[in-house]
Amino acid sequence: MSRRAPRAQSCPCGHPEPYEKCCGRLHRGEAVAAVPEELMRSRYCAFAVKDEAYLLRTWHPRTRPPRVEFDPGLRWVGLEILDTADGTAFHTTGTVEFRARYTDGGRKESLHERSRFERLDGAWVYVDGAFIA
């Protein structure tokens, strides 16, 4: 599936750098996420640009789905990192709590989740998440 390149102002993950210098380098395989928060941001961005290959590559094999289905009416419009725990060079697990804003058919919505990450063969991967009401 081809990816949509975001506009050059700032990365969809919320950092001020352009996509190509921020999450784009992770999506292209030029770098790997150093901490779970960076992986969370790059995965959010992958949903925004519809990069199925990156999402599957950074998903733990025991919880990874066979495909990622993108809703054509959904548009990701903002990410807020609320909390992080563990996930340093000294940890094998970490969590990131975030709120992702999106529009669905013009309606403003948000997703609040606490995601779990594990280090697998030296790289951080997404395991699963729990929705928070």
Side-chain angles (χ1 to χ4, degrees):
M1 169 170 274
S2 73
R3 291 177 264 180
R4 265 187 325 187
R7 55 185 194 276
Q9 289 92 8
S10 64
C11 190
C13 81
H15 282 156
E17 298 89 2
Y19 167 79
E20 292 300 322
K21 292 183 179 179
C22 190
C23 292
R25 64 191 175 80
L26 280 78
H27 294 176
R28 292 186 306 272
E30 297 168 0
V32 295
V35 294
E37 179 181 342
E38 186 177 21
L39 182 61
M40 177 66 244
R41 287 181 178 281
S42 69
R43 285 178 55 82
Y44 167 86
C45 186
F47 274 103
V49 300
K50 297 179 176 26
D51 188 342
E52 179 183 28
Y54 182 77
L55 290 166
L56 294 173
R57 189 168 69 244
T58 58
W59 212 312
H60 198 291
R62 76 170 181 264
T63 58
R64 178 179 31 219
R67 316 189 22 88
V68 177
E69 299 290 331
F70 297 104
D71 182 338
L74 198 124
R75 185 170 161 258
W76 297 98
V77 296
L79 176 67
E80 178 184 9
I81 302 298
L82 302 171
D83 192 27
T84 63
D86 299 329
T88 70
F90 303 104
H91 296 104
T92 57
T93 63
T95 61
V96 177
E97 182 180 343
F98 68 93
R99 181 171 292 113
R101 293 183 316 282
Y102 62 94
T103 60
D104 187 3
R107 287 188 330 268
K108 293 180 181 181
E109 303 282 345
S110 71
L111 168 72
H112 187 182
E113 179 178 306
R114 183 172 294 112
S115 295
R116 294 186 319 130
F117 298 86
E118 288 181 13
R119 196 185 300 271
L120 182 65
D121 298 327
W124 289 105
V125 292
Y126 171 78
V127 177
D128 59 19
F131 295 119
I132 300 171

